[in-house]
Amino acid sequence: MKKALTIVGARPQFVKLSPVARAFEVRFAHVIVHTGQHYDDAMSKVFFEGLSLPRPDYQLGVGSGTHAVQTASMMTGLERILLKEKPDIVVVYGDTNSTLAGALVAAKLNIPVAHIEAGLRSFNRDMPEEINRIIADRVSHFLFCPTETAMDNLSREGMKDAAHLVGDVMLDALLLHQPLIERHSSVLNRVGVQRGGFYVATVHRVSNTDDVQSLTAILEALDALDASVIFPLHPRTRNIMAVHKMDPGRWKNIRFVEPVGYLDMLVLQSGAKKVLTDSGGIQKESYCLGTPCITLRTETEWVETLQNGWNKLVGVDKKAIVDAAMMPPPNVLRKKEYGDGHASDMIADILMNRLS
Ligand code: UD1
């Protein structure tokens, strides 16, 4: 049996790993490395438990730091593990510093790299994630794309031959867990809201958190909406608010809560009037769940969600955010995007065939 080694470290990667781990179970000896980029229980442990993920075989515990410190520390630890484990393939996910570190170390050791969620582009190099994506794609041998748009991006950049259109592993995860959500989540009771009677918001992009004016504009807009806003607070955002003495009690319409687990977040998204976010994964999840999304950015990698007004790019202008929230929901059906829920099996099959 060939050996696959997966590198994850941040919250959305735990979600992406869940269907991939199932698909790999019967086909590969699978070693899982957690870099420790996300380390709070609410950002990591609850996901491993909630998604029934296998315990990581290695935990690097790198924690926070500047991009160079965090990435370098991951690379040092990963090199040691890859030299010891000698995997046949290294698998990295998405666009975080853990993705970049894993792809670079493996490529330099001449171990083939598979990049899941390849080919996405925001065309905004101010985003650290954009740099991570471009480099990870460049050094990977297998580029697994969730969409035609991603395939086209890679084609334009001369990487067509390594690209495979497989669909989105986050849709796999959603379809896998959707039957469980209502039964296993009591989040609506816990936060005291009823289906259709609230908004849900998340904010963690550097451009929105580290610019206090942007963050304040977003919070003022949320405060002006016509129903309460449930706001699971990402540690980055919580820290910035603390540093700038932004008292959460100032925004009476916003209910700040701790980060919630995967099933709870799906319930919040499917029960909300609308979702307001700067996350990539959440734009896509709300599209798949049929809840209109308002994106607090001026561009998106997930352009399919913009069709027929299911997702609106509004940036951080207070009036634009409020106006978008007040618009009636689209009355046009969504097109089926992001595959058929079997991206992970396709990835596992392609790797099995190509590595044998
Ligand atoms: C990272 C990813 C982003 C992904 C996001 C998901 C990069 C460059 N960015 O952003 O692509 O969408 O994760 O959440 O890799 N912190 C804690 N506890 C934790 C984790 C983080 O307190 O468990 C705090 C630390 O102060 C840290 C800050 O949050 O400095 C930011 O964490 P970091 O991993 O650098 O980036 P994210 O903003 O989470």
Side-chain angles (χ1 to χ4, degrees):
M1 209 182 222
K2 298 279 177 191
K3 187 192 275 188
L5 186 143
T6 265
I7 297 166
V8 288
R11 185 167 60 172
Q13 292 167 330
F14 311 142
V15 177
K16 290 166 199 173
L17 170 61
S18 118
V20 174
R22 287 174 195 229
F24 278 18
E25 211 169 56
V26 286
R27 297 171 173 100
F28 292 100
H30 192 195
V31 177
I32 297 174
V33 182
H34 187 326
T35 62
Q37 174 168 356
H38 284 174
Y39 45 89
D40 286 356
D41 282 356
M43 299 292 284
S44 174
K45 190 166 166 235
V46 296
F47 284 83
F48 274 83
E49 289 172 358
L51 295 161
S52 307
L53 284 172
R55 269 170 69 90
D57 300 277
Y58 296 90
Q59 167 61 263
L60 290 177
V62 298
S64 307
T66 64
H67 284 270
V69 166
Q70 193 180 53
T71 312
S73 155
M74 289 176 194
M75 288 179 71
T76 315
L78 288 170
E79 188 178 54
R80 201 170 13 86
I81 295 168
L82 296 195
L83 286 170
K84 180 172 163 232
E85 290 286 344
K86 299 188 177 46
D88 298 292
I89 181 87
V90 164
V91 187
V92 296
Y93 304 72
D95 57 17
T96 74
N97 289 342
S98 301
T99 317
L100 173 68
L104 272 181
V105 171
K108 289 207 164 193
L109 291 173
N110 290 319
I111 302 170
V113 181
H115 184 202
I116 295 183
E117 213 178 74
L120 294 190
R121 297 290 181 267
S122 65
F123 303 101
N124 173 5
R125 291 215 183 179
D126 288 341
M127 286 177 77
E129 293 84 354
E130 183 78 350
I131 310 286
N132 294 345
R133 289 179 195 126
I134 291 170
I135 299 173
D137 282 342
R138 240 327 131 195
V139 300
S140 292
H141 304 67
F142 296 93
L143 297 168
F144 292 118
C145 296
T147 59
E148 291 278 3
T149 314
M151 291 290 282
D152 292 345
N153 290 337
L154 292 179
S155 202
R156 254 197 316 276
E157 294 176 28
M159 290 183 272
K160 190 173 164 208
D161 290 348
H164 303 265
L165 181 62
V166 291
D168 182 27
V169 296
M170 279 187 94
L171 177 64
D172 294 8
L174 192 149
L175 295 178
L176 209 61
H177 293 93
Q178 204 169 17
L180 307 175
I181 60 177
E182 303 294 350
R183 211 155 15 103
H184 289 267
S185 167
S186 57
V187 69
L188 298 187
N189 276 343
R190 269 189 349 261
V191 298
V193 288
Q194 296 200 324
R195 279 187 77 84
F198 66 97
Y199 295 93
V200 63
T202 75
V203 175
H204 79 273
R205 286 276 156 233
V206 178
S207 55
N208 285 340
T209 55
D210 295 20
D211 175 343
V212 176
Q213 265 184 343
S214 299
L215 186 55
T216 307
I218 292 171
L219 295 175
E220 282 179 1
L222 299 180
D223 203 33
L225 297 187
D226 61 335
S228 48
V229 180
I230 306 302
F231 193 127
L233 201 46
H234 188 285
R236 168 186 287 287
T237 318
R238 178 188 65 207
N239 295 348
I240 298 278
M241 287 177 71
V243 167
H244 293 281
K245 307 209 165 18
M246 298 164 79
D247 172 14
R250 192 166 120 198
W251 295 281
K252 300 270 180 269
N253 195 44
I254 309 178
R255 285 274 312 281
F256 293 97
V257 296
E258 286 298 305
V260 297
Y262 180 63
L263 297 183
D264 286 348
M265 194 59 203
L266 291 185
V267 170
L268 286 173
Q269 286 181 80
S270 67
K273 283 158 82 90
K274 288 190 180 174
V275 171
L276 300 102
T277 191
D278 60 9
S279 151
I282 290 176
Q283 290 172 53
K284 205 175 33 180
E285 278 171 354
S286 56
Y287 180 86
C288 294
L289 290 165
T291 304
C293 182
I294 297 166
T295 295
L296 308 168
R297 290 171 52 193
T298 49
E299 79 288 301
T300 180
E301 305 80 38
W302 302 102
V303 290
E304 305 76 18
T305 59
L306 300 173
Q307 295 170 82
N308 300 321
W310 281 96
N311 184 13
K312 285 203 175 308
L313 298 173
V314 296
V316 295
D317 179 73
K318 180 179 167 184
K319 183 170 179 314
I321 297 172
V322 175
D323 288 351
M326 298 307 161
M327 278 177 64
N331 57 9
V332 189
L333 283 181
R334 286 158 299 135
K335 284 212 201 121
K336 199 167 166 244
E337 302 284 354
Y338 306 116
D340 60 2
H342 292 101
S344 310
D345 286 324
M346 282 176 75
I347 291 169
D349 283 340
I350 291 169
L351 289 177
M352 274 249 294
N353 290 334
R354 297 288 287 272
L355 294 172
S356 56

